[in-house]
Structure formats: structure tokens, C-alpha cells
Amino acid sequence: MILVLDNQATNDEIKNLQQRLKFMGFEAIISNENAQKTISLVKGVDKNTDIKGFINLPLVKEILPLKTKFGLANKDAKAQQTVIRIKDKKIGGGHFTVMAGPCAIESRQQILAIAKAVSSNGASILRGGAFKPRTSPYDFQGLGEVGLHYMREAADRYNLLCISEVMNAKDIDLLEKYVDILQIGARNMQNYNLLKAAGQAKKPVFLKRGLSATYNEFLLAAEYILSCGNPNVILCERGIRTFETHSRNTLDIAAVPILRELTHLPIIVDPSHGTGIRNAVAPMANAAMAVCADGIMVEVHTDPDKSVSDAQQAISPTMFADMMRSLRGIAKAVDMTID
């Protein structure tokens, strides 16, 4: 159940209402505060609850039933699309965000060189893995905290934000010391303990769609984070596993307009994992821009063939620069700005 509150309600009044609902045996989660209305999701309502009685509570102007199980992620939960603000950057709301960098941070020299290359061509967020979930236990697993230190240095030097994957709830505090955005990878989309912990984090969370996840499952994973108090969730379509074997995954570009009808959250596309093919990255990045995604995440390496992780899908700085020139042309056609 959703309660639409008086848009003139003060923070103290809302807190008093939350306490009153808690005394009644319910939990109220404030999901949106803007000039139009404040919406509270009430948990604990069941078929025996007389929801009509809630209209008599102070501040309550309207009662809305939940149309889906993802009440906070649902488009109806906010009057406008979510725009996530980090320092001087915006993600969502007509701003096309480019996240670029290596799959894995290999050395200080490597991440500094890549940060310089992507920042000079329009990227605003540096990506890089310090903890790597690898299919084989014998593959490179990442540099850990040392890698995070290198990435933070590179991001600061070239005025970039940075994002890196968190694999365990216990590592969230460590990553928050270094990164601006916490990434939850496809393999952990349904790691519910990790999602709950990320919901209590102070940094925005970048949630990748699972390898075989439906839209409903994807949004319910986001709901875990939102329901634990973190309103800053970014969705990432990164390709799903189908019967096709030529490409690493099948990039579901239709996910962008479909999810746009279901949720207010920003939607990013990852054409690198979505295809696993170097020469397909730029065309699919163009497609992401054409369907008005909120941005892309791509893997860039100064020497792609020598990348210790995902070499086949990494693009060179030259290819990245060419891709960005193409994206700027499409941006004019779809009325978006690359930030």
C-alpha cells in the first residue's frame, strides 16, 4: 500500500507519522519527496487490513494499492524519473552518462593511462574491478584494496567519479572509502543479504541484471535495496544468456523502453558484457543511445589483447574515441546531453 501525503508536510511531521504507523504494527518507507507529493510505502499490510482507515491518519491525502510487488521501484511511486546526483555529475533525466575503464585494475600505471584516455574523450565515470568474480578459481581475482587505491587516485587526477564491484556485504565499508558508486554484478543480483546491506550503504548502487533474470525479478532485486533505505539505485542491462553461442550474451536492448514503462530508476546499458565481442561494442552503444538509455558502461584497455580479464570485449582508447564521436551525433537527434 502507498500513502500519498500532504506535499506541505514537514520532516518532523512525517517522522511522527512513521512512528505512529510503527506503533500500529506497520513500517513506513519514505520513497520520494518533491514539490508535488511525498509518497510512503507501508509494509506489513495483509488481506485482513482495512486500508480505508488509513485515510484518517494525519497528512494522508490518498491511498493507492500496490500494482506490483516492487512498490518503491514502480514508476507510480514517483512523479518524475529519478536523477542521481553525485558531486557535480547527474545520472538520469536526459543526461547520458558514460562509464568506461578496464574490466580489472591491473596496475597503477594501467589505470592512470586508461583514466586519462577516457576522460579526455567524454567519460565521466571510471570503472574498474578490484575484486573480480571469475568463473575459474585460477583466473586473476583482482588487486583488492590496492586496486581501489589506484583507481581513486586516477579518478581524482582526471576529475572522474569511480565505480567498482562489491561481492560481499562485509566489503561495503571498505569500498565506500574509495568509490562513488557500488556495483552489484549479475551473479549477485539475487544475493539478498548483499542487496540488503547495499540498501543500508551511503553510496548509490549500480545493479546489474542477472544472466537469466526476468524484468520482474530484476526490479524486485532493486526493491530489496530501496526498501532498506537507499533510494539511489541504477539499473544495468548487461545482456542475458540465450541459446546463442557466438556472442557471450544477448543484449536485450528492448529492456530499456520496457523498463522505462515500469520504473522511475535510471537505466544503463553494458554493450561490452552484452555482446562479448569487441567490434559489436560501439554499434550496441549507439543502439543504447538511440533508445534513450541513461548511459553506457564499456570496457576500455590501452592494450586490449593483453587484458588479464575479458580481453575479447575490451576496446582500445582509439575505438572509444571513435565511439564517442558517433554518440555525440546521435545525442543531438534524441535530445540528450553526454555528461
Side-chain angles (χ1 to χ4, degrees):
M1 179 183 64
I2 293 174
L3 302 181
V4 181
L5 309 182
D6 187 336
N7 59 12
Q8 301 298 319
T10 66
N11 289 336
D12 287 340
E13 288 174 328
I14 294 171
K15 287 179 181 178
N16 288 337
L17 176 60
Q18 285 180 296
Q19 291 174 355
R20 183 166 178 173
L21 287 165
K22 185 176 182 180
F23 178 78
M24 295 167 61
F26 304 100
E27 180 184 356
I29 301 171
I30 304 302
S31 62
N32 184 34
E33 295 181 53
N34 56 42
Q36 294 182 309
K37 58 184 177 181
T38 303
I39 300 175
S40 176
L41 179 77
V42 179
K43 297 169 65 176
V45 175
D46 58 30
K47 62 181 180 180
N48 297 316
T49 305
D50 180 11
I51 65 173
K52 294 180 181 178
F54 285 84
I55 198 67
N56 298 317
L57 291 172
L59 308 180
V60 177
K61 297 300 181 183
E62 188 179 2
I63 300 172
L64 302 175
L66 283 178
K67 296 179 181 179
T68 65
K69 290 185 177 180
F70 46 89
L72 295 173
N74 193 294
K75 191 175 183 179
D76 292 341
K78 291 192 72 172
Q80 300 172 341
Q81 287 188 8
T82 290
V83 177
I84 296 176
R85 294 171 172 82
I86 311 172
K87 298 178 182 177
D88 61 340
K89 314 292 186 193
K90 295 179 181 179
I91 301 173
H95 301 270
F96 192 84
T97 300
V98 178
M99 307 179 181
C103 178
I105 303 162
E106 300 168 14
S107 67
R108 178 176 179 270
Q109 182 180 8
Q110 174 236 26
I111 194 66
L112 283 169
I114 295 173
K116 181 180 180 180
V118 298
S119 66
S120 64
N121 284 289
S124 59
I125 300 177
L126 178 65
R127 63 145 296 161
F131 298 93
K132 296 300 302 176
R134 303 303 299 276
T135 301
S136 169
Y138 307 114
D139 289 338
F140 179 64
Q141 305 290 311
L143 295 178
E145 186 173 5
V146 172
L148 293 173
H149 179 79
Y150 292 157
M151 184 166 67
R152 182 74 266 171
E153 179 188 356
D156 289 344
R157 180 176 296 189
Y158 295 104
N159 192 32
L160 298 166
L161 301 179
C162 63
I163 177 173
S164 193
E165 183 170 354
V166 57
M167 294 171 55
N168 296 294
K170 64 181 178 60
D171 291 330
I172 287 178
D173 288 343
L174 171 64
L175 266 81
E176 284 196 304
K177 294 178 183 177
Y178 294 97
V179 304
D180 301 291
I181 305 170
L182 299 169
Q183 175 180 314
I184 294 180
R187 291 173 177 83
N188 277 315
M189 190 206 79
Q190 291 179 309
N191 181 340
Y192 299 118
N193 287 332
L194 178 58
L195 296 177
K196 290 176 184 178
Q200 298 172 22
K202 301 178 181 66
K203 300 292 178 70
V205 177
F206 184 88
L207 178 65
K208 286 198 164 189
R209 183 181 178 186
L211 278 69
S212 302
T214 65
Y215 299 139
N216 188 66
E217 291 167 341
F218 190 20
L219 291 173
L220 284 171
E223 191 78 5
Y224 266 92
I225 302 168
L226 295 167
S227 67
C228 289
N230 190 338
N232 297 313
V233 177
I234 305 160
L235 303 176
C236 178
E237 163 56 40
R238 47 80 68 204
I240 53 176
R241 181 168 292 175
T242 67
F243 55 80
E244 180 54 60
T245 57
H246 182 75
S247 60
R248 177 175 180 175
N249 293 294
T250 298
L251 185 61
D252 182 10
I253 203 69
V256 177
I258 292 173
L259 288 172
R260 191 75 77 201
E261 291 298 313
L262 298 174
T263 184
H264 55 84
L265 298 173
I267 305 162
I268 302 292
V269 171
D270 178 349
S272 298
H273 284 88
T275 63
I277 300 171
R278 185 175 301 159
N279 289 333
V281 172
M284 297 313 291
N286 291 342
M289 169 74 84
V291 295
C292 297
D294 294 299
I296 54 172
M297 171 181 272
V298 295
E299 293 187 1
V300 180
H301 197 285
T302 48
D303 192 348
D305 289 331
K306 293 183 179 179
S307 174
V308 299
S309 178
D310 291 349
Q312 70 280 4
Q313 66 194 39
I315 62 175
S316 67
T318 300
M319 294 179 72
F320 178 74
D322 290 341
M323 180 191 74
M324 292 300 293
R325 279 191 289 271
S326 178
L327 287 173
R328 291 186 185 98
I330 300 172
K332 294 177 182 178
V334 296
D335 194 28
M336 296 189 79
T337 57
I338 300 178
D339 295 333

